[in-house]
Amino acid sequence: MKITILGSGTSTGVPQIGCKCEVCTSTDPRDCRMRASAMVETDEGVRLLIDCGPDFREQMLRFDDFRPIDGVLLTHEHYDHVGGVDDLRPYCAYGDMMLYGDELTVSAIRMRMPYCFRENPYPGIPRIALEAVSPHRAFEIKGVRVMPIQVMHGRLPILGYRIGPLAYMTDLKSLPDSEWCLLEEVECLIVNALRMQAHDSHQNLDDALKLAARVGAKETYFIHMSHQIGLHAEVSCALPPHVHLTYDGMVIMC
Ligand SMILES: [Zn+2]
Ligand SMILES: [Zn+2]
């Protein structure tokens, strides 16, 4: 399985508009972070996009070779995770695009993009179809089994996804007891680590390291970082050997 980190940044992206901190002004490309998203490609060539944020267009232009996307897994309805759904349009040339998310996310998309769901739609709109999925109820996309995981984003229940050896969870603050069984034998854990200081609805670096140790995946990769995480080069060096900060365009094989 091949995973491309399309975006490794928090909701504002890094650099953050107007900020002149050492991270926002860094010349290391790894300190430049688009909004969090990943492309998963199975050994059979099935391609699943996880989240479709406002940087989707730029991410596809930079990191993709324009092949069909077989499904889009949405974690939750916040703009930094769904703001690019309209830009899926070019990929709809391959056929209707299936979007999966929990009930709240699916109804939020329907409400925000009513022009996509009218009976006689304007020509050229993205042809998208929505399907609500629930935690612990696995479903299949072209023979690939996807298991939704219940993740708590502060008090908001959202979804993470388990696909074979991979677990992808973003915007996690805590994980209910019921979910740990879904992380057994995970080889590649991708999970959020916002910054050093605590935050109400996101794990900070310490929280993320504790979660990584408890899951015990072979390799753990952090995503959804803010400029307050510090410089990529410095923070990376201080992490345990099997824990990594991601950067935009990073390719992970598992
Ligand atoms: Zn987010
Ligand atoms: Zn900054």
Side-chain angles (χ1 to χ4, degrees), residues 16 19-21 23-24 227:
Q16 190 175 301
C19 186
K20 295 282 174 273
C21 78
V23 177
C24 289
H227 61 156

Side-chain angles (χ1 to χ4, degrees), residues 19-27 31 230-231 234:
C19 186
K20 295 282 174 273
C21 78
E22 63 168 352
V23 177
C24 289
T25 55
S26 163
T27 53
D31 286 316
L231 292 168
E234 285 176 15

Side-chain angles (χ1 to χ4, degrees), residues 9-11 36 75-76 78 80-81 153 170-171 202 224:
T10 189
S11 55
T75 60
H76 62 302
H78 288 165
D80 55 322
H81 300 266
H153 182 18
T170 187
D171 293 55
H202 294 267
H224 210 282

